[in-house]
Amino acid sequence: MFPHSWKLIMEQDINITIIDREGVKHQIEAPTDMAMNLMEIVRSYELAPEGTIGICGGMAMCASCQCYVLSETELPEMQDDEEAMLSEAFDVKDNSRLGCQIQMTPEMEGLEVELAPES
């Protein structure tokens, strides 16, 4: 019975909110079974102009996917490469994270972020 119930949890979409760079709030259903990160969700829903987000391909090397976490969602601890990139980025706030480093998992249910201005 346990593996069956685990499968149901893994295939569940989560509800997240993304505020784009124009200030428009988007309610998104994000899949948790495709190993996608927040940057890829923004790109797949075309919430930022082509070529303005995820420029480095999600390697934490450009900060084009920087966002501000508005919800109390508990995120994975920031790794050294993400911290280093944010230390060099523009418009950084205390709640800044790189979208490419936030994996879409069931724990991200209710996540609300605002995309940082294009730099």
Side-chain angles (χ1 to χ4, degrees):
M1 182 163 164
F2 176 77
H4 177 69
S5 59
W6 178 252
K7 187 174 195 281
L8 289 175
I9 291 169
M10 293 302 293
E11 292 177 358
Q12 184 177 10
D13 288 352
I14 57 170
N15 298 296
I16 63 172
T17 302
I18 301 170
I19 301 171
D20 67 23
R21 292 178 176 142
E22 309 299 318
V24 178
K25 190 179 275 198
H26 303 270
Q27 304 291 335
I28 303 291
E29 283 190 9
T32 61
D33 60 347
M34 296 176 65
M36 293 179 82
N37 60 48
L38 182 61
M39 179 266 302
E40 293 166 325
I41 296 293
V42 170
R43 287 171 71 170
S44 66
Y45 279 91
E46 299 178 352
L47 301 181
E50 180 92 23
T52 65
I53 192 160
I55 296 167
C56 74
M59 304 299 291
M61 295 174 66
C62 73
S64 66
C65 64
Q66 180 189 176
C67 61
Y68 308 125
V69 179
L70 305 177
S71 60
E72 296 296 320
T73 309
E74 190 170 328
L75 300 177
E77 193 172 326
M78 194 180 300
Q79 300 300 307
D80 292 343
D81 52 353
E82 180 181 8
E83 199 168 337
M85 189 67 252
L86 284 172
S87 73
E88 300 173 15
F90 296 103
D91 302 307
V92 175
K93 298 180 182 180
D94 289 342
N95 60 342
S96 288
R97 291 296 299 260
L98 297 181
C100 67
Q101 301 301 300
I102 302 174
Q103 291 298 314
M104 294 295 98
T105 63
E107 292 78 24
M108 295 300 109
E109 173 70 37
L111 176 68
E112 183 171 347
V113 299
E114 178 180 1
L115 300 183
E118 186 180 350
S119 52

